[in-house]
């Protein structure tokens, strides 16, 4: 029945507004508000006394779609409305459009006008904000949008305070606080895209394995059956969320949170405070809470998965369940490893069983498993140490230069954006001792994984090169080491040396460090795109020469002419001092 327990927290007016704005992106704010109020009024009537009303017996998704289809002046949905459920809902989902430019970018209103509107009708202004965000992000989780709306309302209250202080800058307050409002939209949207990308590209089995590793680490005291139930529930939630079915997505999410918070005794002692928070804040809190303590009697090794004689029979009889048990047992023992590394270990165990369970395999075949595992961990540590040694010697530009050689087809803006977070990981972890290096790097793998996911989604819409294609398509667990091992793209056709490719203007004399670094990064990227074979030593020499050139030219009276004169020396360094080539460059410049 469409009673209060079904509508509690699901169809309150703001949530209904999110739903209608996401489904009817081109509709007006007034239309979305009217539909949200219609559904909310029905909820109140059904919860009060009208439970015998036939409408109260309808499924929620049918009520939402019926409301849209009964609305006039929405011709875009005529074909969908003519279909029967569940085909009608599938049709509506295909019309959702999240592509950039489908709806003009959201612009913050004039500060004074916004404050005036806020003082006159706070709820209307917040509702309009919810509508504008939701229709531009039709696949974004409703709880994220509603949490952002709360931050927006707090910004309005903080900035629109009445003051007689003539020095108070209202516009500056908005500029300072607005990034805090939009940050969750970008971050949660990116995480959601990332999860959906894994589901769409690698399938439900990979997503379940990822969630199994993460949940086993989060709740190491929970038994395998409980963890498996959570994995299934989380995977089903993401399936609904990723297809854009936000009603089922919200319902799945709330049922999952209810289960977790009513089973704290068997899951974790660390989530009590999270479960006392309002529903909108509960999920984020649980995800960010530290892992529960491991059981005191948990043995450090799981030799039964290698030494037991009945392993091959169990593997043949219940392949996925056996592998899931191994991943569960290993993950709950190793909270210091990233989920991606745990998946690689799980994949290595699966490959071991495929090899050792063949007819005629040596009797001690499986005993190699522990040595293989130690070897994998050692190799991972070695790669981290080598990368850090180079990073400490070469600096922040190391990751950028390396990625430019692997993916020169990316734009300068993309390369700078993607490598910025990598340098953050390097600066955080590479100063630590060897025993703390791997845990630090693994802890930050989630950031790197998001970057690689974004690169791979970019590749799907606009292919980069065959090497990236292979790494993004073959295995999620091996994606990071695969991209790490990529060499220079041999199919890349270098940029031609044209007038203007290395032209510098007076704005290079800026005193703003961030802008200067950006100019230097662009110069190095273009240099590698022009001469992919350039060595790290040459790049280091050119970076130093660039600094010297800037200092000399910015002291003079005509920086532009000085840059035009000196830039040929930078290209001369790129060609090992080849005078003949240098003269050719000077002609072009």
């Amino acid at each position: 029945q469409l009673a209060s327990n079904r509508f509690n927290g699901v169809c309150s007016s703001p949530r209904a507004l999110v739903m209608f704005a996401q489904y009817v992106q081109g509709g007006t704010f007034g239309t979305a508000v009217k539909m949200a109020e219609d559904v909310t009024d029905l909820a109140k009537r059904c919860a009060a006394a009208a439970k015998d009303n036939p409408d109260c017996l309808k499924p929620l998704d049918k009520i939402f779609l019926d409301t849209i289809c009964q609305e006039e002046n929405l011709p875009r949905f005529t074909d969908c409305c003519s279909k029967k459920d569940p085909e009608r809902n599938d049709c509506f989902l295909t019309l959702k459009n999240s592509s950039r430019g489908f709806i003009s970018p959201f612009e913050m209103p004039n500060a004074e006008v916004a404050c005036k509107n806020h003082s006159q009708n706070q709820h209307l202004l917040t509702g309009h904000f919810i509508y504008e965000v939701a229709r531009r992000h039709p696949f974004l989780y409703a709880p994220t949008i509603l949490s952002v709306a709360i931050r927006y309302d707090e910004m309005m209250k903080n900035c629109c305070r009445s003051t007689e202080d003539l020095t108070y800058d209202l516009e500056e307050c908005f500029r300072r606080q607005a990034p805090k409002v939009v940050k969750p939209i970008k971050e949660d949207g990116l995480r959601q895209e990332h999860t959906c990308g894994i589901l769409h590209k690698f399938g439900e089995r990979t997503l379940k394995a990822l969630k199994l590793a993460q949940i086993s680490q989060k709740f190491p005291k929970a038994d395998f059956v409980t963890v498996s139930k959570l994995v299934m529930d989380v995977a089903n939630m993401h399936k609904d969320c990723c297809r854009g079915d936000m009603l089922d997505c919200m319902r799945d999410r709330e049922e999952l949170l209810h289960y977790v918070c009513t089973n704290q005794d068997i899951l974790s002692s660390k989530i009590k405070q999270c479960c006392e928070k309002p529903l909108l804040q509960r999920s984020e809190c649980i995800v960010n809470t530290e892992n529960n303590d491991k059981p005191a009697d948990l043995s450090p090794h799981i030799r039964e998965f290698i030494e037991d004689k009945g392993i091959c029979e169990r593997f043949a009889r219940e392949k996925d369940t056996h592998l899931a048990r191994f991943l569960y047992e290993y993950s709950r023992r190793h909270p210091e490893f990233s989920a991606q590394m745990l998946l690689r270990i799980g994949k290595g165990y699966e490959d071991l069983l495929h090899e050792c369970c063949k007819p005629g395999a040596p009797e001690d075949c499986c005993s190699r498993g522990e040595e293989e595992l130690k070897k994998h961990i050692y190799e991972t540590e070695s790669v981290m140490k080598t990368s850090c040694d180079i990073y400490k010697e070469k600096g922040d530009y190391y990751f950028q230069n390396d990625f430019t050689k692997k993916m020169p087809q990316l734009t300068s803006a993309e390369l700078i954006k993607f490598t910025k977070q990598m340098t953050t990981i390097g600066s955080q972890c590479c100063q630590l001792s060897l025993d703390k290096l791997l845990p630090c790097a693994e802890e930050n793998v989630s950031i790197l994984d998001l970057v690689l996911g974004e690169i791979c989604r970019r590749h799907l819409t606009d292919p980069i090169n065959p090497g990236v294609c292979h790494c993004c398509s073959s295995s999620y667990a091996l994606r990071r080491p695969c991209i790490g091992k990529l060499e220079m793209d041999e199919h890349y056709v270098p940029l031609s040396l044209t007038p203007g490719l290395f032209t510098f203007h007076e704005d290079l004399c800026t005193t703003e460090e961030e802008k200067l670094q950006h100019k230097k990064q662009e110069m190095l990227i273009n240099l590698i795109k022009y001469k992919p074979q350039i060595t790290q030593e040459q790049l280091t020499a050119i970076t130093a020469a660039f600094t010297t050139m800037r200092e000399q030219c910015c002291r003079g009276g005509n920086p532009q002419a000085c840059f035009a004169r000196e830039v040929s020396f930078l290209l001369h360094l790129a060609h090992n001092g080849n005078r003949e080539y240098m003269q050719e460059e000077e002609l072009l410049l």
Side-chain angles (χ1 to χ4, degrees):
Q1 290 186 353
L2 193 58
S4 59
N5 63 322
R6 294 192 55 215
F7 266 89
N8 184 29
V10 177
C11 292
S12 56
S13 187
R15 292 192 177 208
L17 181 60
V18 170
M19 290 290 301
F20 287 119
Q22 288 185 323
Y23 271 82
V24 189
Q25 293 173 265
T28 64
F29 174 58
T31 300
V33 169
K34 177 183 176 298
M35 291 189 291
E37 289 177 346
D38 288 345
V39 169
T40 305
D41 288 343
L42 175 61
K44 291 175 181 176
R45 291 199 305 273
C46 293
K51 295 178 183 178
D52 56 342
N53 184 334
D55 285 340
C56 297
L57 302 175
K58 292 180 182 178
L60 287 178
D61 51 356
K62 181 172 174 56
I63 290 172
F64 271 93
L65 297 183
D66 283 351
T67 302
I68 296 173
C69 291
Q70 289 162 9
E71 193 65 34
E72 296 180 359
N73 302 318
L74 295 176
R76 186 165 183 256
F77 303 103
T78 302
D79 288 343
C80 290
C81 290
S82 65
K83 299 179 185 295
K84 294 182 178 180
D85 293 319
E87 287 79 13
R88 180 174 64 161
N89 186 49
D90 293 338
C91 180
F92 268 91
L93 294 178
T94 63
L95 295 179
K96 285 190 174 189
N97 192 331
S98 60
S99 58
R100 189 173 297 176
F102 178 67
I103 297 176
S104 60
F106 179 69
E107 294 183 6
M108 296 294 286
N110 174 272
E112 290 186 7
V113 173
C115 285
K116 183 179 178 181
N117 291 337
H118 184 262
S119 65
Q120 292 175 347
N121 195 330
Q122 172 188 335
H123 296 299
L124 182 64
L125 185 68
T126 304
H128 197 272
F129 177 79
I130 290 171
Y131 157 79
E132 292 291 357
V133 173
R135 73 194 193 104
R136 285 171 173 80
H137 301 275
F139 294 97
L140 190 62
Y141 299 153
T144 297
I145 296 173
L146 297 179
S147 295
V148 167
I150 293 172
R151 294 189 183 206
Y152 176 76
D153 196 47
E154 289 173 351
M155 178 185 73
M156 299 304 297
K157 289 175 182 175
N158 291 336
C159 291
C160 296
R161 56 186 172 84
S162 59
T163 177
E164 296 179 0
D165 183 1
L166 297 178
T167 64
Y168 178 66
D169 191 335
L170 182 60
E171 293 283 355
E172 174 59 27
C173 182
F174 270 69
R175 277 194 297 272
R176 192 174 62 254
Q177 296 208 24
K180 299 175 186 176
V181 175
V182 299
K183 187 179 179 184
I185 299 175
K186 293 179 179 178
E187 291 185 348
D188 284 21
L190 183 60
R191 279 194 291 266
Q192 183 182 337
E193 276 189 83
H194 182 71
T195 302
C196 295
I198 294 170
L199 178 63
H200 294 150
K201 185 66 184 176
F202 301 105
E204 190 176 342
R205 186 173 185 262
T206 297
L207 180 64
K208 285 180 178 177
L210 175 64
K211 295 304 168 185
L212 175 60
Q214 292 171 334
I215 293 171
S216 300
Q217 288 180 310
K218 177 71 71 176
F219 306 134
K221 291 183 178 178
D223 59 62
F224 177 68
V225 173
T226 302
V227 169
S228 296
K229 179 206 169 354
L230 285 173
V231 169
M232 289 295 295
D233 290 347
V234 170
N236 288 334
M237 178 190 74
H238 283 302
K239 280 176 13 185
D240 285 333
C241 298
C242 292
R243 67 191 292 263
D245 201 337
M246 289 302 147
L247 187 59
D248 281 344
C249 174
M250 282 192 289
R251 189 159 46 205
D252 294 342
R253 191 185 184 103
E254 291 181 11
E255 287 175 358
L256 180 61
L257 287 172
H258 176 75
Y259 177 83
V260 169
C261 288
T262 53
N263 288 277
Q264 295 179 54
D265 55 327
I266 62 173
L267 291 176
S268 174
S269 60
K270 304 288 178 75
I271 59 174
K272 186 175 185 295
Q273 287 185 331
C274 295
C275 291
E276 292 170 353
K277 289 181 178 290
L279 190 63
L280 286 177
Q281 301 171 26
R282 207 172 294 170
S283 178
E284 182 182 4
C285 179
I286 292 173
V287 168
N288 293 326
T289 298
E290 62 178 314
N291 297 337
N292 198 24
D293 301 323
K294 291 188 288 186
D297 59 348
L298 195 63
S299 62
H301 302 289
I302 48 173
R303 299 191 189 282
E304 66 269 23
F305 285 90
I306 294 175
E307 296 177 352
D308 284 6
K309 292 184 178 179
I311 291 173
C312 290
E313 288 79 4
R314 280 204 302 277
F315 181 56
R317 189 173 61 249
E318 45 184 45
K319 177 184 174 183
D320 282 351
T321 303
H322 180 74
L323 295 173
R325 281 186 177 277
F326 170 82
L327 185 57
Y328 157 77
E329 293 290 357
Y330 202 87
S331 299
R332 65 201 289 246
R333 285 165 168 79
H334 292 281
E336 76 277 13
F337 290 165
S338 67
Q340 291 75 24
M341 184 170 179
L342 291 167
L343 292 190
R344 291 197 293 275
I345 290 170
K347 180 68 170 63
Y349 179 68
E350 181 180 4
D351 293 343
L352 181 76
L353 292 185
H354 277 302
E355 182 183 342
C356 294
C357 293
K358 287 178 180 177
E363 194 171 324
D364 62 343
C365 181
C366 283
S367 63
R368 293 189 297 104
E370 198 160 353
E371 284 305 312
E372 289 291 326
L373 179 58
K374 289 178 181 176
K375 180 182 174 184
H376 173 73
I377 295 172
Y378 173 76
E379 286 177 351
T380 303
E381 288 177 335
S382 297
V383 169
M384 294 290 181
K385 185 179 182 304
T386 301
S387 295
C388 278
D389 288 344
I390 299 173
Y391 172 74
K392 283 188 277 191
E393 181 186 349
K394 308 298 182 185
D396 285 351
Y397 297 120
Y398 162 65
F399 291 114
Q400 176 191 290
N401 297 343
D402 184 51
F403 249 66
T404 304
K405 289 189 175 187
K406 296 176 194 290
M407 309 173 194
Q409 294 85 355
L410 293 177
T411 65
S412 296
E414 287 173 325
L415 286 163
I416 292 171
K417 171 188 169 186
F418 290 143
T419 55
K420 186 176 182 181
Q421 289 163 313
M422 296 178 195
T423 59
T424 302
I425 297 172
S427 63
Q428 285 181 358
C429 300
C430 290
Q431 308 306 319
L432 301 176
S433 58
L434 186 59
D435 60 317
K436 294 179 180 176
L437 173 58
L438 183 59
C440 177
E442 289 294 300
E443 191 176 307
N444 284 279
V445 159
S446 57
I447 298 173
L448 179 55
D449 195 43
L450 286 173
V451 174
L452 298 185
E454 199 170 354
I455 289 172
C456 288
R457 289 195 300 279
R458 184 328 194 154
H459 172 76
L460 281 176
T461 56
D462 186 7
I464 299 172
N465 61 49
V468 174
C469 181
H470 168 72
C471 291
C472 289
S473 304
S474 55
S475 165
Y476 168 68
L478 298 174
R479 183 165 67 183
R480 181 164 61 99
C482 180
I483 287 179
K485 291 175 183 175
L486 285 179
E487 300 290 341
M488 185 182 67
D489 177 23
E490 60 184 26
H491 303 281
Y492 174 67
V493 178
L495 290 180
S496 300
L497 183 61
T498 56
L501 183 62
F502 295 103
T503 299
F504 300 108
H505 303 284
E506 290 184 13
D507 59 355
L508 190 60
C509 295
T510 178
T511 56
E512 293 183 40
E513 184 62 25
E514 190 174 339
K515 286 184 179 180
L516 179 59
Q517 290 300 322
H518 192 86
K519 295 284 184 186
K520 193 183 294 185
Q521 285 176 287
E522 286 185 329
M523 183 272 294
L524 289 171
I525 288 169
N526 281 336
L527 198 57
I528 294 171
K529 289 185 175 191
Y530 161 60
K531 191 175 184 295
Q533 303 284 355
I534 195 167
T535 66
Q536 184 61 46
E537 288 70 25
Q538 288 173 298
L539 285 169
T540 301
I542 290 167
T543 302
F546 175 89
T547 302
T548 302
M549 175 192 75
R550 178 182 171 276
E551 289 174 353
Q552 290 176 351
C553 292
C554 291
R555 282 199 302 262
N558 191 345
Q560 187 93 14
C562 179
F563 288 141
R565 218 170 36 245
E566 295 294 324
V567 74
S568 59
F569 178 64
L570 298 182
L571 296 177
H572 164 57
L573 289 174
H575 289 279
N576 294 316
N578 187 319
R579 290 285 175 185
E580 183 179 340
Y581 201 93
M582 185 176 173
Q583 291 169 2
E584 182 184 337
E585 288 170 347
E586 287 174 334
L587 289 173
L588 281 168
L589 293 165

